[in-house]
Amino acid sequence: MSLNSYQSVDREQLAKDISQIHKQALADIGPADFEHLKKVERWGKVCSLIGYATAWIFPNPISALLISQGSFSRWTGVGHPIVHKAFDKMRDVDKNYTSKKFAQGWRRFLDWPDWMTPAGWHHEHDLLHHYNLGEETDPNNAQHNMEWLRQSKLPMWQRYAIVAFFSGIWKIIYYTPRTHKELVLNAARLQGKPKPETTRIGAWSLFTPQGKALWLQSVLPYSAYRFVLIPLLFLPLGAFAAVSVLINSILAEIFTNMHSFLVMIPNHAGDDVMMFDEKSHSKGEFYLRQILGSVNYPTGSNFNDFFYGWLNYQIEHHLWPDLPLSQYQKLQPQVKALCAKHNIPYCQESVFKRMLKAADIMVGKTSMLKPAAV
C-alpha cells in the first residue's frame, strides 16, 4: 500500500462500516455457533483418541501427527475463541465454555493441556498482541523479536537453518517464557512496584519470579502430564508400548510446534505487512492497522479451516476477536468487499508463500512496511 493511499483512507467511515458489520454479527450469534465449537472440539478429540489408540503399537509419524492435530485444535479451535470471550454473553451455554471458567483450577489440563498457562496467554495474546499489533510492544512482532538474528554476521543459509530449528521448539523456548514474563511485568505494574529485570537466563532460573513460575506452572506440570502420566497409562500393555507412546508424544510435540509456527508466524509478517512506530489515535486507524498488519490464508470450509485452526481468518479475527469462529466464515466476503470499497489491500495467500515471506523478515533479507505517522 502506498503512503498516499494509506493516508487517504477515510478512517471515520471505515470505523462506521466495520462497527455496523460487527453489530449485525453479534445479533446473529446463536446456538448454531456453539454447536460449531462443539463440532470442532469433537474433531480434535477424535484426532487425539485415534492418535493415542495407535501410538502404543510402535513409534510412527501418523499417530504423532494425529496427537499433534488434537493438541493444535484444542488450542486454536477451542481455547482461542473461548479465552477471547466469544461465548461469554451467549444464553444457556455451559459455563465451562466461558472465559471465567475455561481451563481454570483443576480443569487446566482437562480443558487445555499446554505449556502456557491460560492467564499468561490471555495477557500476552488477548491484550498485548491484539491492542499493540505491529508495534514494538507487540510481543508477536517477528521483525523486532528476531533483530538479534537479522543483525548477526551469520551466512543467510545458517539464519534460515536457525529459523527452521526454532520452529520445532518455539512454544517452550520462546512463547511460554514470554507469557510468564509479561505476567510478571503486569503484576509489578498493578502493584505499583518498579519494573523487575527480566532476562533470557532469568526466565529459566528458579531464583527469579519469572523462572519459578515457568518451571512450577508450565514446564514441570506439562512434562509430567504429557511425557510421564500418559505413557505410564499404557504400561499394562508392556514396556515397549509405554516407550512407543513416549516417543510418539515427543514427536507430536515437535509437530505441534512446527504446525503452529507455520500458521501463526506468517499471520503478521512479510515485506507487504505493516508495522508501526506510534500508537493508533482513533478507532478507524486501529481497524485499518488490523487489516494492514494481518494476513489470511485460503478460507471457506470447516475441513480446510480445521487444519488452520481458523487462523486463516486473521484479518476478521483481529477486527472482531470476540466473535465465534463460525462467524468469520460468514463475514470474510463482507470484509474483503469492504476493503475494496476503501481501497485497502486485503492480503490472502498460500500459507507456504507467507511462511517464506515471514522467514525472510526473521533472517533480515527483507523488512516490513513502515508508514509515516498519521
Side-chain angles (χ1 to χ4, degrees), residues 230-243:
I230 292 181
L232 285 178
L233 294 176
F234 290 82
L235 201 54
L237 297 176
F240 181 78
V243 171

Side-chain angles (χ1 to χ4, degrees), residues 26 31 58 91 103 118 120-121 147 169 186 203 221 224 234 276 288 295 298 312 330 332 353 357-358 360:
L26 291 174
F58 62 96
R91 292 182 179 180
W121 190 63
E147 200 62 40
I169 56 174
N186 188 55
F234 290 82
F276 309 93
L288 180 60
V295 175
N312 47 332
K330 302 174 184 177
Q332 191 261 348
K353 289 183 179 179
K357 283 181 174 289
D360 288 343

Side-chain angles (χ1 to χ4, degrees), residues 217-242:
Q217 298 175 24
S218 290
V219 176
L220 295 178
Y222 183 78
S223 297
Y225 167 81
R226 183 71 71 182
F227 308 120
V228 178
L229 176 60
I230 292 181
L232 285 178
L233 294 176
F234 290 82
L235 201 54
L237 297 176
F240 181 78

